[in-house]
Amino acid sequence: MAGLSDYAELTSLADSLYDACEDDDAELARLLHELDPDVAVQLCTSDLMNAAQAYMYAFNEVPDLDVYDILLLEPSSQLLHGIKILPVELAELIMGFDPSRKLFFIGVWDGEKILAAFTGEGAYDRAAAFAREHCSA
């Protein structure tokens, strides 16, 4: 990854982005898209941002309020382990980051394994639809 090597540099960049966006998470996501993708991913998987901000960067959309409230309380560094969002049918929707593929995803978790993972715009809706279709009682 070609990102910033110094945590102080990353912190300084995060501070300048927060100043520029004036607490507007949608604007922060737009500014993140102007950065080198590796640097944006470093920020979006660090303790310098929350998972809601990373969601907006990763999926180019503002999550529903209930999802936003859950992700707002989680540091984006937890995406490396996966963050449970909401149950759908008999599954849980998980937001995570796959470092080997350098992709953010919404996964459908059955309690033992991820059954399917969705990336890009609309990932949450596609994951929820998959769970309703394949994980109902």
Side-chain angles (χ1 to χ4, degrees), residues 13-111:
L13 175 59
D15 288 342
S16 67
L17 289 171
Y18 285 129
D19 288 344
C21 77
E22 299 178 352
D23 293 327
D24 180 341
D25 287 339
E27 176 65 7
L28 177 62
R30 188 190 69 71
L31 293 172
L32 286 166
H33 280 284
E34 294 179 359
L35 298 175
D36 175 280
D38 287 338
V39 173
V41 165
Q42 272 186 290
L43 283 168
C44 288
T45 56
S46 75
D47 287 330
L48 299 172
M49 295 181 61
N50 65 54
Q53 294 163 328
Y55 181 103
M56 288 184 225
Y57 167 76
F59 304 115
N60 295 314
E61 63 188 20
V62 177
D64 291 339
L65 187 57
D66 50 350
V67 173
Y68 181 85
D69 288 343
I70 291 165
L71 295 175
L72 182 65
L73 299 175
E74 295 286 343
S76 58
S77 61
Q78 287 301 314
L79 294 172
L80 296 168
H81 306 286
I83 298 171
K84 287 183 181 180
I85 301 174
L86 290 172
V88 174
E89 296 296 335
L90 299 176
E92 291 273 353
L93 297 188
I94 308 285
M95 182 180 172
F97 179 75
D98 180 346
S100 65
R101 296 175 56 212
K102 297 183 182 179
L103 285 175
F104 292 92
F105 66 89
I106 302 293
V108 179
W109 173 260
D110 71 358

